[in-house]
Amino acid sequence: MSTDLASKLREGTKHSHTMAENTAFMKCFLKGIVEREPFRKLIANLYLVYSALEEQLQRYCTHPVVSLIYFPILNRKANLEKDLVFYYGENWREQISALEAGKVYVERINEVANTEPGLLVAHAYVRYMGDLSGGQSLKKIIRSALDLPANEGTGLHEFEQLPSVEAIRAFKGQYRDALNALPVDDALAEKIIAEANYAFALNRDVVHELEADVKAAIGDHVFDLITRQDLPGSTERSPGNNAIRLVAAE
Ligand code: HEM
């Protein structure tokens, strides 16, 4: 059975994706402005998000829907722990805290896990496909902006078991095939798409909360210059036609 869920998700979230790319935080990123303090707070909050997500995916690893989209090679928690040691030091656990938006995001993951676990598909899709797509370009921007030592600081975007652009591209094909093979009816597919749009909003809320830190670091004037113009959305173009800005992300 093919539900074409992969295309439906891509189509059904493209506007949300464009909005995510057009957050002030991401616009600064794309201009090469990555400030260490808000960036490490983002990593800390994503650590909390992935800890919840991966715990719930593991809990439902024999669930008829969730099991088919559970790929442990994607797990980010251990890599994020290494990033946190790098950015905060060995006592990172005492230093990190959840943003308000981070708490809401974690609560939502736990809530859907407890009430309708099939919707975890949406949360996994938004984060993992994002890390495998635009995330691969962001990794290069982060490395260069923060002048990072080799193998440090971008564990979020390192997939040790997918060591090349080709391997990532092939895996994304496999992930889309898995989405298409999920035993979901139209009603559940619609709910998954709605939840994916909500997951995008939760991601936007996290970075919005960090914008004040970015502004404080670069100053109001530069912040306004960089963020006043909107960008065309990467997933609003046809698949395979991402060459305009992000060749490496494909
Ligand atoms: C400046 C920020 C971003 C850029 C430049 C970017 C870029 C891209 C690009 C080029 C693709 C298409 C890849 C392909 O077709 O294979 C893509 C896909 C995707 N991105 Fe982003 N992205 C950004 C932010 C985000 C954020 C914040 C999220 C969510 C947290 C996200 C989630 C996704 C997802 C889920 C896909 C897969 C779409 C699909 O093919 O189904 N992206 N992104």
Side-chain angles (χ1 to χ4, degrees):
M1 175 172 69
S2 175
T3 56
D4 209 17
L5 183 61
S7 317
K8 285 185 191 157
L9 270 168
R10 186 182 168 100
E11 274 299 303
T13 60
K14 65 185 181 186
H15 181 62
S16 288
H17 188 275
T18 302
M19 283 165 71
E21 285 178 275
N22 278 297
T23 53
F25 195 87
M26 285 301 161
K27 284 179 180 171
C28 288
F29 252 60
L30 294 174
K31 290 271 193 295
I33 295 175
V34 182
E35 289 299 324
R36 213 178 167 96
E37 187 54 31
F39 180 65
R40 70 178 190 167
K41 283 188 188 163
L42 175 62
I43 293 293
N45 277 269
L46 288 177
Y47 168 75
L48 301 171
V49 165
Y50 280 103
S51 298
L53 178 61
E54 290 168 7
E55 188 187 326
Q56 297 296 356
L57 291 173
Q58 167 70 40
R59 173 178 164 203
Y60 287 105
C61 67
T62 58
H63 182 277
V65 173
V66 178
S67 61
L68 300 176
I69 204 72
Y70 181 48
F71 294 95
I73 68 165
L74 294 176
N75 284 353
R76 306 287 76 209
K77 188 178 170 194
N79 279 20
L80 282 161
E81 285 176 356
K82 285 189 212 146
D83 285 349
L84 290 168
V85 172
F86 176 73
Y87 290 111
Y88 287 96
E90 290 296 336
N91 65 345
W92 59 271
R93 277 183 206 277
E94 290 96 76
Q95 295 196 56
I96 67 164
S97 58
L99 298 166
E100 282 312 308
K103 284 184 205 157
V104 175
Y105 197 166
V106 167
E107 278 162 17
R108 180 64 184 168
I109 289 172
N110 291 330
E111 185 186 2
V112 301
N114 290 332
T115 55
E116 189 152 16
L119 299 186
L120 287 171
V121 170
H123 288 279
Y125 162 78
V126 170
R127 280 307 325 172
Y128 294 127
M129 281 296 271
D131 295 335
L132 291 167
S133 302
Q136 295 303 304
S137 298
L138 296 180
K139 173 171 84 177
K140 293 184 191 132
I141 294 172
I142 297 159
R143 297 208 67 76
S144 129
L146 295 179
D147 196 16
L148 295 176
N151 303 321
E152 303 264 31
T154 49
L156 169 61
H157 297 120
E158 304 289 350
F159 290 86
E160 287 76 8
Q161 294 180 65
L162 302 172
S164 64
V165 174
E166 294 72 27
I168 289 179
R169 188 182 297 139
F171 182 82
K172 281 166 61 177
Q174 202 185 323
Y175 199 86
R176 291 190 177 107
D177 290 345
L179 286 170
N180 287 337
L182 294 183
V184 295
D185 58 16
D186 286 350
L188 183 53
E190 286 309 314
K191 277 189 176 180
I192 292 172
I193 294 161
E195 188 66 24
N197 279 307
Y198 185 45
F200 269 105
L202 292 167
N203 277 278
R204 286 200 302 272
D205 290 347
V206 170
V207 293
H208 278 318
E209 214 175 314
L210 294 169
E211 274 166 24
D213 282 5
V214 178
K215 220 179 210 183
I218 67 176
D220 286 2
H221 180 62
V222 176
F223 185 85
D224 290 342
L225 280 178
I226 289 171
T227 59
R228 67 185 172 194
Q229 217 178 3
D230 275 354
L231 309 158
S234 297
T235 58
E236 304 229 34
R237 298 187 286 268
S238 53
N241 183 21
N242 300 309
I244 307 169
R245 214 151 32 87
L246 282 168
V247 177
E250 261 192 77

